[in-house]
Structure formats: C-alpha cells, structure tokens
Amino acid sequence: MAVEPIAFPAEGGTPGGVRPQAIGLPELTVAAFLGRTERGPVDEPVAVESFDEYRRAFGGHTPFSFVSYAVEHFFLNGGERAVVVRLANRATRGVIEIPAEGDVMRLMARRPGSRECLRVSIDYDGVEQDAARFNLVVQRVAKPGSQLVEDQELYPAISIDPDDRRFVVDALQDSELVRVVGPLPRARPSATRAKHPGQPIPYLDMSRPGTDGVELTDYDVIGSNEEGTGLFALDRVERIDLLALPPPPGRDLGNTAFLAAERYCRRRRAMLVWDPPRAWRSTDAAVLGIRAAGLVSHNVLTCFPRLRPRAQFARFPAEIPASGAVAGLLARMDRENGGWPAHGAAQLKSSLTTIVDVGDGQAALLRRFGVNALVRARGGGVMLTGNTCLAPQDAVATLSRRLDTRRATLRVLGALERGTRWVPSALGAPETIVQVEQQAYAFLRKLRERGALAGQRDDQAFFVRASRSRADEASALTLRFGFALCTPGQFQTYEILYRPDGAVTHAVPPLDTEQLAG
C-alpha cells in the first residue's frame, strides 16, 4: 500500500506531563452524501439525523437529483447520522427589489436555486420619527404564493446610515437568508402597507427568482482543496465512514470523479459506496463493464443492480441508485455488531426491490469481480450478498477484499490516527514514547476484550512498539502496531511516523516473529 499522508494538527501535546486521553471508537456510522439538492447552503457540510432534518435544510425530492432519495433510504434502512454537501453548477441567487422613494434597495438570497422562495415586508412601527430607520421581516416560504413559512428573520430598527450601529449591511451579515447588494438608496425603503385598514401587511416577493443551474460535472464533484469545495468541503467534518455520490437521473459520473473520490476516501479512512453505470442492465453487462473499466480499490464497494419501489410509483422514480440504502444497511449492521467482522447477508427494508433478478450463480460471478449482489429473497425482501470490495483479484489481497475486514481495518487506523494527534507537538518530551505506546496498547486491548480481534491473549490479537529515530531522537517517533481480525497471530501491520509537522501512516509487511508472537 502506498504511503498516505495524514494531516495531524499539532494540538493537545503533553510536554507538561498531561496524560493523553484514552482512544475510543465512535458509536455511530457517519455517511456523507454529495450532489444537487432542492435548496440549502452550497459547499457546506450539514449534519442531519433524520430525513425530516434533511428536508428542513435542503428541501424535498427533485427531478434533477437522486441525493434526496439516497438520504431518505439511508435513514429508512437504519442509518442514524448523515452529512450532506450541496453542489451546484451555475445556479443563481434570487433578488428582491424594495422601492425607496424612486430608488430601490436590493437584497440577494444567500443561497442559489429556484426553490429558495423569499419575501420581505417593511414597516416603521416604533421608528416613525427617524427618517433612516425601518423594520425588516424576511421569510422563506414553501413555494411562490404559499402562506407556509419555513423560516423567518426579524430585523427591528435597522438603518441605511453607514454610521449607525444598526446599519443594514452590518445587521444582515449573519442572515441565513439574504444579503444587501449594490448601492443603497438615499431614503429608507418604503413601507409595505395594506390597501385597507385591518388587512395584514403585504409582502414583496422576489423580483428575479434564482435558478438551479445545470448538471454537475466531475470537476464540480471534486471541487477545490484550496477553496474547500466539492469533496474537500468534507475536510470540515471530523470523521466520515461512508461516502456516496448518487449519480444524476439519466447519466453517470465519470472515472475522474471516481478516482478523486476513491483517493479522498483513502485519505479519510472511509469507504466509497459507488453506484455503477446505468448500462449495467444485466449480470453479463456488469461483468463486462467492471472488466473494461479497470477500476479497483480496497476502499470502494459497489452493488448490482439498481432498485425500484415496490409501491407508490408516483412518489419515486422508476429506478433508484442503491448507494443510500446500502449505506443505511451497513450503518445498521455496524450498530448491531460493533462494525467488526461478522458480515452475513442482510436485508433491506421491504419498500424497495431490484430492477432485475440475480440468481445464486450470477451473484457468485459478480463476487469474483468485486461486485456485491442485491438479491431478491423469499417474501419480497432484498438481500445484500457478497461481502466484497472492489480490490484487485490476487491471493495477497484476499483478506482485504472482504468488505467487513477492510472496514474494520479503516476503523482501527482512523481511531489510532485521530487519538494520537497530540504526538507531533510533544516529540521533545521524554515520556511521549511511553505514553503513545501505552495509549495504543490500551486501545487494542479493549478491542480484544470486546471480541473485535482474533485471539484469546493479547499477543495473539495485537502488538504495539514505539521507537525513536537514532539520528535525532527529538525529531521523530515511530509507532509500529499490528492487529489480527480473523486468525490469531496473523497481523495487519502498520507504522505511523510522527514528525513535528505531522504524521505519515503506511502498511508494512509483518516480520516472521510478529506473525508468530506479536
């Protein structure tokens, strides 16, 4: 395995002798979803713990994206925490023009999209005597002309005077709905008055609605590391375990997006749940497609075929990518068995079925090429079978081709890397080498006691050794460790090299003595 840099900030050091915290495993599996949504912030990761929370932040189902369906099926199949990043390509923001004695004050929506339906009202209650002040109400409604208010912001006694402490531009800096654009009028905005006494104050709707833009390209999905967009927006999230990029209806994401997402998952110790091309309409087509594409990775899982609704045909598209449902199923299995090797066939919720039937022989053929099969079970359910990732077909990779052991490996590596972030800033302390070794030993021993590792004794289940560089003992420290997931004494061995500017993790071939005795 290639050397993989890990960005360890120099924080939480222990030069004063403070003992590092015990390393623990997260309780919930976090799945990330990227793509177009009905509305919401762009290139900002938003955590949700139900589909209702998703709808409040991003709206509902749209004809131009499968993201909402993937998130809904994630929660329906047992997922508990998702991170969603909305992506957009040339989407525009709506504008509201508020009259102001022959001029206008322009407010622009903070977020782009045709579903960002905003309206405003202006009144002078309590500020009649101040010619620069006014009260502003901004609302987001469900759709144009709707009276269903989904969000509201109130700004009392704000002013068009730049020297006023309640200057409108400053007051709207923290608004989640609008911001001021263009030059301000000389007079305050005109009040939105009712035509007749006793009628409610009317609202001004958007004079120019926003647009949803066009289909995403692979480069929109990848984004920019420097700007923190696309995939790199997830850098602001502490941890992700699964990543799904549901393709848009009618087309596929390209190999460029696949390779970038796979590389990103490798760095983040996550698993990419990849939806195969629409051209995979049969088992033979899937086998030919996977052989022709040449896409392999220990950090990718894919499934065949796509899914379709068993009922409510008007509510769902004719077919739906399976990544959301499969991610929810994996999250449910993690909760039930702790995320450790205990993988067997598991059933999706009965609301979905497959678009084509896959027999046992066909499922076995798919498994040979690293593709998991979604198989119709008796009673109408759908079973996930295969327990394989998209790894190369060679004898050495046999263990890492198993989906359950690969995901368990990622959980161990991620926990150790996050838990030892304090080491680069404490390399000069003489006790650091002992502390990091004890910290890693205690973590791996806890896993053995929970039954997550193979072996009845510590030396059968894992080993840990920390050492200094002889050339310059204060400049580097190496933590070497191995752990057995399936067979006692058969370790996966890794080293983390800590330096003042960060750390690097890489896999190493185990020594004979490590295989025998740890």
Side-chain angles (χ1 to χ4, degrees), residues 154-223:
L154 308 177
Y155 297 94
I158 55 178
S159 173
I160 61 169
D161 182 357
D163 297 324
D164 194 296
R165 63 181 180 82
R166 294 283 294 164
F167 181 42
V168 60
V169 176
D170 297 334
L172 294 180
Q173 284 296 318
D174 295 328
S175 170
E176 295 290 329
L177 300 179
V178 296
R179 59 187 175 93
V180 179
V181 293
L184 286 173
R186 294 186 178 181
R188 65 183 174 180
S190 302
T192 50
R193 301 182 187 278
K195 292 183 180 180
H196 302 287
Q199 290 183 337
I201 296 176
Y203 286 85
L204 289 175
D205 294 320
M206 306 185 86
S207 51
R208 187 174 73 238
T211 64
D212 298 313
V214 297
E215 290 287 358
L216 300 176
T217 68
D218 281 14
Y219 299 103
D220 295 314
V221 174
I222 297 168

Side-chain angles (χ1 to χ4, degrees), residues 21 23 138 147 170 182 281-282 400 403 405 427 451 463 469:
Q21 294 183 349
I23 300 174
V138 186
Q147 297 303 311
D170 297 334
R281 312 300 294 187
S282 67
S400 60
L403 177 60
T405 56
L427 288 173
F463 71 89
S469 169

Side-chain angles (χ1 to χ4, degrees), residues 405-484:
T405 56
R406 181 56 183 166
R407 293 193 63 226
T409 298
L410 296 178
R411 287 166 65 87
V412 173
L413 293 178
L416 281 168
E417 290 165 353
R418 289 189 298 270
T420 58
R421 285 177 177 168
W422 59 274
V423 176
S425 62
L427 288 173
E431 65 271 19
T432 296
I433 185 171
V434 175
Q435 288 180 325
V436 69
E437 185 173 288
Q438 290 177 342
Q439 188 185 28
Y441 189 96
F443 168 69
L444 293 171
R445 185 174 192 180
K446 182 165 53 179
L447 293 186
R448 181 190 68 78
E449 292 172 346
R450 288 176 52 179
L453 303 181
Q456 298 298 315
R457 304 190 311 269
D458 289 350
D459 61 348
Q460 295 176 328
F462 67 90
F463 71 89
V464 178
R465 284 193 290 274
S467 60
R468 292 279 191 181
S469 169
R470 292 183 179 180
D472 186 353
E473 292 192 355
S475 65
L477 187 154
T478 299
L479 179 68
R480 186 184 184 98
F481 57 93
F483 50 93

Side-chain angles (χ1 to χ4, degrees), residues 11-75:
E11 60 182 31
T14 61
V18 179
R19 187 177 179 85
Q21 294 183 349
I23 300 174
L25 283 172
E27 296 298 325
L28 295 180
T29 297
V30 179
F33 297 86
L34 273 72
R36 298 176 75 189
T37 65
E38 187 177 53
R39 62 166 184 261
V42 176
D43 290 314
E44 295 182 22
V46 178
V48 295
E49 296 189 352
S50 68
F51 188 59
D52 284 340
E53 287 189 17
Y54 170 89
R55 282 187 294 200
R56 285 194 289 271
F58 296 99
H61 298 313
T62 70
F64 54 74
S65 174
F66 280 125
V67 170
S68 59
Y69 297 99
V71 174
E72 181 178 27
H73 293 147
F74 171 74
F75 288 113

